[in-house]
Amino acid sequence: MPTATISPRSQIGLIAEVRGPVVDIVCDTLPPLHRALFSAIDHETYVFEVYMHLDEHKVRAITLHRTAGLTRGMAVYDSAAPLQVPVTPDCLGRLLNVFGEPLDEGLPLQALQFRNVLAKPVDLHEAVAAGGILETGIKAIDLLCPFIKGGKTGLFGGAGVGKTVLIMEFMRAIVALHQGVSVFAGVGERIREGHELWHEMRQTGVMDHALMVFGQMDESPGVRFRVGLTALTYAEYLRDTLGKEVLFLMDNAFRFVQAGSEISGLLGRMPATVGYQPTLMSEVAELQDRITSTHHGNITAVQAIYVPADDMTDPAVSAILGHLDTTVILSRAQASKGIYPAVDPLASGSKMMDRYFLGDRHYSVAERVREHLARYRELEDIITMLGIEELSEKDRKVVVRARKLQRYLTQPFHVVAEHTGIKGASVPLNETLADCEAFLRGDFDQFSEDRCYMRGAMKETL
């Protein structure tokens, strides 16, 4: 919000108290909740968001900047609007903060219009239901836990299991396969992670069709709480103006919940279950319900989610899970075996895994692949202790085919080809289904496991 907007006529009150990121403001006229107020020191603007009315002349706000330099008695001005960001088709290729200001040393956006960060979801009559599978070219995901056009996918994984690489490959796939665009929200990102991601995306040519919005880990909880909504505002704008497939990525949705918990504590609200804010469900819904497709275009969301203590029943995880269509579990056990992407095929899944939505062929192949992998997992301990020779002939066939399927579902990615020296592969769903059917029939029983590992379609090995 530029300093030039400040004028004596817009003064609304004075700062009465500053406690960390919490600022109490005495006002002549109470501003509505979530109104953006601001103050200025030496040409630097401080933005506050109103969260609570304390009495008829005092409000409590959360600052969206560091509070160093703020003093009692400072003038506070009214922006006459909630928090807004400038939107323009030229936002693609840029790295922005929660206010839509550049973090990439580029020129400020020449806004055609401003949009409120806190917007309502589209009306029900404008929303479009899930309309099929969004192919990614990644075999394990397209087969076992397919993305739904206009749906929401949760990517559950810790550090070092390939979450960032997978996100980058999704962004590349949207550009290459669907001529779409991506919007990335870095919620509470470490500066190192954000810097590396930005540079890798530029090197791989993905950045020209993407927009990144960052709220860093050292910033105010107000910034971390709103940066996801800022990114979603840009995604909605790109959906409505360009009419393209928009991929909305958030890393990490759990940090959004954490920021809301911090704000709740700062405002003095009584904590609820396991110390989370009492408004947890409504805050998660406020974000998730805006991820919607319309007749203008689709927004498909992929959200990385940290699971505290690997407890999927944690209230924050449960609140997010209720909104997801697809769940992708990245397993450290898979990664330790060299299986990349490290998708756990038995724990991952989609609400749309049924014959009506996927069709008989896709559903049947996916179920048979799961059955083979599940049987192999059951027999692993017996094989380790007694050897595969002790199994029945039927089980031996299942194990041999399951091991080859497990390796077939690995894949080299385009975005890391420069580091690995292996050319990236993208496999259409029809080829994946045909290959899996061939594995299940035993057509590749004579192949070694190495011939199935880190390949695209099997026709490349024939």
Side-chain angles (χ1 to χ4, degrees):
M1 201 168 293
T3 312
T5 58
I6 298 174
S7 69
R9 288 173 296 177
S10 63
Q11 182 171 338
I12 195 172
L14 303 171
I15 292 178
E17 190 174 349
V18 180
R19 291 178 288 110
V22 179
V23 177
D24 289 352
I25 302 166
V26 176
C27 304
D28 300 325
T29 305
L30 284 182
L33 294 178
H34 304 299
R35 176 66 62 88
L37 310 178
F38 56 93
S39 192
I41 310 170
D42 298 331
H43 305 291
E44 184 175 352
T45 303
Y46 293 77
V47 181
F48 318 110
E49 183 178 352
V50 177
Y51 272 89
M52 186 180 289
H53 291 165
L54 298 177
D55 57 38
E56 60 269 24
H57 292 296
K58 187 181 283 188
V59 298
R60 180 161 290 168
I62 299 291
T63 180
L64 302 181
H65 296 82
R66 290 195 174 103
T67 52
L70 293 179
T71 59
R72 294 175 66 186
M74 280 181 60
V76 177
Y77 303 88
D78 187 5
S79 71
L83 184 64
Q84 295 182 323
V85 291
V87 291
T88 165
D90 297 333
C91 63
L92 289 173
R94 301 301 303 273
L95 177 65
L96 307 174
N97 66 8
V98 70
F99 305 108
E101 298 168 344
L103 294 174
D104 53 10
E105 297 186 339
L107 295 173
L109 295 180
Q110 299 301 310
L112 299 178
Q113 64 180 101
F114 285 82
R115 279 200 172 201
N116 291 342
V117 167
L118 288 171
K120 292 181 179 179
V122 298
D123 294 333
L124 282 175
H125 68 273
E126 294 179 14
V128 175
I133 293 174
L134 182 72
E135 288 193 35
T136 63
I138 301 171
K139 295 178 286 188
I141 286 176
D142 288 347
L143 176 67
L144 300 172
C145 40
F147 285 10
I148 311 302
K149 273 187 183 178
K152 309 177 188 75
T153 298
L155 197 61
F156 297 84
V161 294
K163 185 168 76 264
T164 302
V165 172
L166 204 51
I167 282 175
M168 289 172 60
E169 190 70 9
F170 292 152
M171 297 172 85
R172 195 211 69 84
I174 284 293
V175 175
L177 302 180
H178 305 280
Q179 290 73 52
V181 295
S182 303
V183 179
F184 179 88
V187 182
E189 282 283 285
R190 300 174 183 86
I191 187 65
R192 170 186 58 79
E193 294 174 340
H195 188 266
E196 288 175 0
L197 182 61
W198 180 47
H199 279 284
E200 286 176 9
M201 285 174 59
R202 291 171 69 189
Q203 290 168 7
T204 54
V206 175
M207 195 64 205
D208 293 340
H209 304 276
L211 165 68
M212 301 182 76
V213 184
F214 274 100
Q216 296 169 34
M217 190 173 278
D218 65 337
E219 294 191 81
S220 159
V223 169
R224 288 180 274 120
F225 190 56
R226 292 301 185 210
V227 69
L229 294 177
T230 294
L232 192 48
T233 301
Y234 280 107
E236 290 171 335
Y237 172 75
L238 293 171
R239 174 196 67 195
D240 298 338
T241 57
L242 300 184
K244 289 192 173 184
E245 191 74 51
V246 180
L247 181 66
F248 173 72
L249 303 112
M250 178 184 282
D251 188 9
N252 187 302
F254 181 76
R255 295 196 194 114
F256 163 76
V257 173
Q258 278 186 314
S261 182
E262 287 179 49
I263 288 173
S264 182
L266 290 166
L267 297 175
R269 294 177 183 149
M270 185 70 72
T273 312
V274 200
Y276 286 108
Q277 61 269 43
T279 51
L280 171 64
M281 301 297 285
S282 60
E283 287 172 2
V284 169
E286 183 180 32
L287 175 75
Q288 302 291 344
D289 286 353
R290 284 177 59 185
I291 302 171
T292 313
S293 298
T294 68
H295 297 289
H296 300 292
N298 294 317
I299 296 181
T300 304
V302 179
Q303 304 165 54
I305 302 157
Y306 168 71
V307 183
D310 293 328
D311 179 13
M312 293 294 287
T313 63
D314 184 88
V317 176
S318 298
I320 298 169
L321 265 173
H323 293 271
L324 300 180
D325 300 301
T326 302
T327 304
V328 180
I329 309 293
L330 297 181
S331 160
R332 198 170 298 282
Q334 292 284 88
S336 66
K337 296 174 185 174
I339 307 295
Y340 286 102
V343 177
D344 186 328
L346 303 181
S348 305
S350 172
K351 289 181 180 176
M352 301 299 187
M353 286 292 290
D354 61 49
R355 292 184 187 276
Y356 174 77
F357 190 81
L358 299 180
D360 281 338
R361 185 189 182 204
H362 186 170
Y363 180 82
S364 300
V365 171
E367 285 302 294
R368 290 189 64 201
V369 167
R370 271 210 178 90
E371 287 169 8
H372 276 61
L373 294 172
R375 184 60 180 159
Y376 171 47
R377 187 170 291 184
E378 289 173 7
L379 297 171
E380 271 187 314
D381 289 341
I382 296 173
I383 295 169
T384 302
M385 291 185 292
L386 303 176
I388 195 169
E389 296 79 12
E390 297 300 317
L391 300 179
S392 67
E393 185 179 347
K394 181 182 177 182
D395 280 342
R396 278 202 299 272
K397 279 185 180 178
V398 168
V399 168
V400 167
R401 291 171 187 173
R403 285 179 63 87
K404 288 174 184 171
L405 279 166
Q406 190 180 57
R407 279 147 184 78
Y408 170 73
L409 292 175
T410 63
Q411 190 167 337
F413 287 157
H414 293 83
V415 293
V416 291
E418 186 180 327
H419 304 291
T420 61
I422 305 173
K423 185 181 177 182
S426 180
V427 184
L429 177 59
N430 281 333
E431 289 190 24
T432 301
L433 295 176
D435 286 343
C436 288
E437 285 171 336
F439 275 109
L440 295 168
R441 284 194 306 264
D443 294 0
F444 299 125
D445 282 357
Q446 75 280 11
F447 278 34
S448 68
E449 292 177 5
D450 288 344
R451 288 185 68 181
C452 308
Y453 180 66
M454 280 295 170
R455 297 283 186 273
M458 286 303 291
K459 65 183 181 183
E460 298 174 10
T461 66
L462 297 176

